[in-house]
Amino acid sequence: MKPDRSGILRLLGYAGLIPFIALPMLQTVGVVYTALPYSTLFDFYSVVILGFMAGVLWPARESDSAHQALAWLSVTPPVLGFLTLAIAPGLFLWVQLMLFLGLRGAEILLGFERHYAPYYRTLRWHLTLVVVACHGWMIGLQAL
């Protein structure tokens, strides 16, 4: 019988939302606690987390005949996000928002969703929705 890992995975998953929520909140209230602007920290964190979320797909189905496609899916979103940040920073938040949604859609379309434990399916939806909402929040703050 497998040990129950759901508790630690939920804890780590939800804890990972703290910067996504805290940085726009701090920017909204205008309190400065960091050397870098909150928007810059948010952008960096977004790239890191997208890389992590995409990267976990790569080895997930190594025996699958689609392994090469999964490798591309794993590296493409974070590279696109990074390049957007470097080349067109004004579009970055929109691109990241779409990449997070696209990654979740790919998990479903490629059948990963079927292999997820029920708690993890719920966790992935919660994480994606909060991350997308926080990107929208930062987009709104930039418009002010």
Side-chain angles (χ1 to χ4, degrees):
M1 188 156 129
K2 290 183 180 180
D4 181 20
R5 299 177 306 176
S6 66
I8 189 68
L9 294 179
R10 280 189 192 119
L11 175 68
L12 292 171
Y14 290 125
L17 293 176
I18 293 170
F20 280 118
I21 297 167
L23 291 167
M25 186 182 309
L26 289 168
Q27 186 164 326
T28 298
V29 298
V31 179
V32 178
Y33 291 112
T34 60
L36 292 173
Y38 296 132
S39 59
T40 301
L41 294 173
F42 186 94
D43 293 350
F44 290 159
Y45 189 69
S46 179
V47 168
V48 167
I49 296 303
L50 181 63
F52 171 75
M53 294 307 299
V56 298
L57 295 180
W58 187 339
R61 290 173 58 187
E62 246 182 85
S63 62
D64 196 309
S65 61
H67 179 62
Q68 190 173 21
L70 291 175
W72 280 105
L73 177 63
S74 296
V75 299
T76 302
V79 169
L80 287 175
F82 175 79
L83 289 174
T84 303
L85 185 58
I87 298 167
L91 297 175
F92 173 75
L93 291 170
W94 283 105
V95 169
Q96 284 293 101
L97 185 150
M98 296 307 294
L99 288 171
F100 275 104
L101 285 174
L103 180 63
R104 185 68 186 113
E107 287 176 307
I108 294 165
L109 291 174
L110 294 173
F112 284 94
E113 178 88 356
R114 293 191 305 265
H115 302 287
Y116 290 163
Y119 82 89
Y120 192 68
R121 279 194 295 274
T122 301
L123 177 66
R124 284 294 293 121
W125 276 115
H126 290 171
L127 298 178
T128 299
L129 293 174
V130 171
V131 166
V132 166
C134 289
H135 279 76
W137 189 358
M138 288 301 278
I139 289 167
L141 289 172
Q142 280 186 348
L144 296 178

